[in-house]
Amino acid sequence: MPLIPVRAAIYLRVSLDHTGEGLAVERQREDCMQIVSSRGWELVEVYTDNSISAFNKVKSRPAYDRMVEDFTAGRFNALVTWDLDRLTRQPRQLEDWIDAAESQGLRLVTANGEADLQTDGGRMYARIKAAVARAEMERKGARQSRAQLQRAAKGRPPRGIRATGYTLNGELVPEEAAAIRAVFEAFAEGASLRSITAALSGAEPVVRAAGDLTLVQDLPSSVPVLPTRTGKPWNPSTVHGILRNPRYAGWSMLDGEIVRDETGAPVRAEWEPIVPDGVWLEVQRRLDDPNRATNRVGTDRRHLGSGLYMCAVCDSLVKSHGTRYRCAGHVMRSRSVVDAVVLGFVRLRLARTDLADLLVETDDEQVSNLAEQVAAQRDRIKRARADYKAELIDGDLYSEIRDEAETEIARLEAERMVITAGPTASAILSAPSPVEAFEAADLVAKRAIIDLLCEVRLTSAPRGRKTLDPNSIQITPR
């Protein structure tokens, strides 16, 4: 019978390439190529997975998966690898290759000469080695997890992939840290994830038509362009992960959660925080707000007073409705007229010589206490809802508890807003010409200044009156 030609494939892998140069893979390649050459086999292809672990069965190994498909298709009948643990650390995968050696005559050769899957002794050795290797990897994983927990408990920087803004040793990367700080501040002041993401990526403002109107989505001017490590644009989920990370407020963390000591107190980290507690807590409040729509385009406020001005009848926040501000059943006012009055008031206030008195120092401890009180009121509503569902209280009592808690939350939120004017608002107030700084600011910053300086309530314009009734736009200085 004619001899069946041996068509060989080589598989190369290292779990972690520290330098990115692929030197370990090249050393494996040289040894495996020597085997193919010395035996006179025909080399079909070299499959390489660089810096990819074989321990995690969920993690994809593209070259390995392609090699399996090629073997199934009959493209090669010999496989050369440097060591069995380079091929796989999964006993189930090893059994597949053992089946291939027994039933299909696959020649599997290792460069260290230890494996021969065509003999019972070789198969037993391979199974024992795979089991030992997997057990060692599990012990190693447990040791690493324990070490990470110990580091976190002492407030030391976590190992692994570095966070944007920090080195692996927890030192600040100035340019990145400044960008991360701007991201937190912009979101705390009302900018959306999408607009912040677009600003980081260097995108232009989004312009789109809405009937007879042209709407422009302002991008927060305070957020600089920051290239990603991959060179690809930023995405909202990445920005969301940054905003949720307690590391940026100087809290020790593990698996995304703040680490606490034996008393339950959060552990302060050794590294320098990028944002103060107050800003971080405000960001968490916004992210937790169920009324914040995050899954659609256009979550930014496009108009100066929408969600900021109030109805003088019911104190509800007015919404934009075409060219007007509207509170259903109570108020319908021209946006341009109202905005002109409000902007005129703000310009006069910004021109005052005593403007510095409006600057309020942020008290992070006080902000933290307010946030805890808000959380306690929200928990009170949750407990009342659970009691109502369990028929422990009736609907009237549930409504009473909910209304009281929501009223208290509104009061606490208002107090917090007075304390945390926001860095962008502070920058405008402390500028050489606050009026010019305000005029040059983006929509988010202008809204922050208006909210800081005054409350605006609207009533319906008197019927039949063509001139503006100043009493129909009630502006109360803060």
Side-chain angles (χ1 to χ4, degrees):
M1 292 179 60
L3 294 176
I4 299 176
V6 178
R7 301 181 305 280
I10 293 176
Y11 180 72
L12 312 171
R13 182 189 66 80
V14 292
S15 297
L16 183 61
D17 185 357
H18 291 280
T19 66
E21 298 174 351
L23 298 180
V25 165
E26 282 304 311
R27 290 191 292 270
Q28 293 180 24
R29 184 193 304 270
E30 292 174 2
D31 292 344
C32 293
M33 290 288 289
Q34 178 62 35
I35 292 175
V36 173
S37 176
S38 65
R39 300 195 180 192
W41 292 346
E42 174 190 353
L43 181 62
V44 172
E45 187 163 352
V46 178
Y47 302 90
T48 304
D49 283 319
N50 193 25
S51 202
I52 297 180
S53 172
F55 177 68
N56 188 344
K57 63 183 178 181
V58 177
K59 194 166 186 177
S60 173
R61 287 193 284 162
Y64 179 89
D65 294 340
R66 185 163 53 86
M67 177 181 68
V68 172
E69 293 177 359
D70 287 349
F71 175 71
T72 303
R75 192 175 174 206
F76 61 87
N77 54 14
L79 178 58
V80 181
T81 187
W82 194 82
D83 189 280
L84 274 181
D85 63 8
R86 298 300 88 197
L87 179 64
T88 182
R89 289 182 181 271
Q90 300 295 325
R92 179 60 264 175
Q93 290 179 347
L94 177 63
E95 290 298 327
D96 291 338
W97 291 114
I98 290 176
D99 291 343
E102 289 181 318
S103 62
Q104 302 178 47
L106 171 70
R107 296 173 173 84
L108 197 152
V109 180
T110 58
N112 59 15
E114 294 178 344
D116 182 358
L117 299 188
Q118 293 182 312
T119 68
D120 57 352
R123 292 190 291 272
M124 181 181 69
Y125 169 79
R127 290 183 175 113
I128 293 173
K129 183 172 183 179
V132 170
R134 182 168 182 82
E136 176 55 30
M137 289 299 295
E138 290 174 349
R139 285 194 295 271
K140 180 180 178 182
R143 290 196 301 270
Q144 290 175 338
S145 296
R146 177 61 179 168
Q148 287 280 43
L149 180 59
Q150 288 177 330
R151 289 183 62 83
K154 295 179 180 179
R156 295 177 181 173
R159 297 297 189 190
I161 300 175
R162 75 176 184 88
T164 303
Y166 292 104
T167 67
L168 281 174
N169 294 326
E171 299 171 352
L172 290 180
V173 180
E175 182 179 353
E176 293 181 359
I180 294 299
R181 188 177 302 111
V183 166
F184 272 88
E185 292 170 353
F187 189 80
E189 291 167 0
S192 71
L193 284 176
R194 291 186 182 278
S195 67
I196 293 172
T197 301
L200 284 172
S201 302
E204 296 295 326
V206 177
V207 181
R208 65 184 181 87
D212 296 331
L213 301 176
T214 298
L215 303 178
V216 179
Q217 182 187 28
D218 282 311
L219 302 183
S221 58
S222 59
V223 176
V225 177
L226 181 66
T228 62
R229 298 172 203 172
T230 63
K232 298 179 180 180
W234 288 83
N235 63 72
S237 62
T238 303
V239 177
H240 183 275
I242 288 174
L243 293 173
R244 280 297 194 189
N245 194 336
R247 180 175 185 179
Y248 291 112
W251 298 107
S252 185
M253 55 165 287
L254 185 65
D255 297 330
E257 300 291 335
I258 295 177
V259 176
R260 299 182 180 275
D261 61 20
E262 61 276 5
T263 68
V267 175
R268 270 294 180 189
E270 293 180 348
W271 59 83
E272 180 181 347
I274 291 178
V275 297
D277 291 349
V279 173
W280 191 81
L281 289 168
E282 166 60 11
V283 166
Q284 306 316 302
R285 185 198 67 78
R286 277 206 71 207
L287 290 172
D288 292 337
D289 185 356
N291 295 320
R292 187 181 66 88
T294 59
N295 60 346
R296 58 187 177 87
V297 176
T299 56
D300 282 322
R301 300 290 186 183
R302 299 188 181 89
H303 305 297
L304 198 65
S306 59
L308 182 61
Y309 305 159
M310 292 181 286
C311 170
V313 178
C314 65
D315 273 356
S316 297
L317 298 175
V318 300
K319 300 179 181 179
S320 294
H321 184 77
T323 61
R324 300 173 182 271
Y325 291 124
R326 174 177 181 262
C327 175
H330 295 151
V331 174
M332 182 74 80
R333 300 298 302 272
S334 168
R335 275 206 324 269
S336 59
V337 171
V338 175
D339 288 347
V341 173
V342 173
L343 289 172
F345 170 87
V346 170
R347 292 188 188 100
L348 289 174
R349 194 82 189 277
L350 291 175
R352 285 171 48 171
T353 56
D354 62 347
L355 184 63
D357 295 338
L358 299 172
L359 289 171
V360 180
E361 292 293 329
T362 299
D363 184 338
D364 286 334
E365 183 177 355
Q366 189 174 358
V367 172
S368 299
N369 290 335
L370 288 171
E372 290 175 0
Q373 292 179 55
V374 169
Q377 292 298 326
R378 295 191 190 281
D379 288 340
R380 185 184 175 197
I381 294 174
K382 290 179 181 178
R383 289 195 301 272
R385 185 183 298 116
D387 289 345
Y388 174 65
K389 289 183 177 180
E391 299 183 352
L392 299 176
I393 62 176
D394 61 20
D396 290 340
L397 181 55
Y398 165 65
S399 297
E400 181 180 345
I401 294 173
R402 181 196 60 199
D403 293 343
E404 287 179 356
E406 288 179 346
T407 299
E408 181 63 5
I409 287 172
R411 186 191 68 78
L412 293 167
E413 294 280 53
E415 185 178 349
R416 180 195 54 77
M417 285 300 296
V418 172
I419 297 172
T420 58
T424 298
S426 297
I428 292 174
L429 295 174
S430 58
S433 174
V435 175
E436 292 181 4
F438 177 75
E439 296 292 354
D442 58 27
L443 182 64
V444 171
K446 287 180 178 177
R447 286 169 54 86
I449 287 291
I450 292 171
D451 195 42
L452 174 67
L453 297 183
C454 62
E455 287 184 352
V456 180
R457 287 180 170 81
L458 306 180
T459 63
S460 296
R463 291 183 178 274
R465 184 168 179 172
K466 295 183 178 180
T467 58
L468 175 67
D469 179 1
N471 295 322
S472 67
I473 303 175
Q474 304 168 5
I475 303 179
T476 306
R478 292 189 189 274

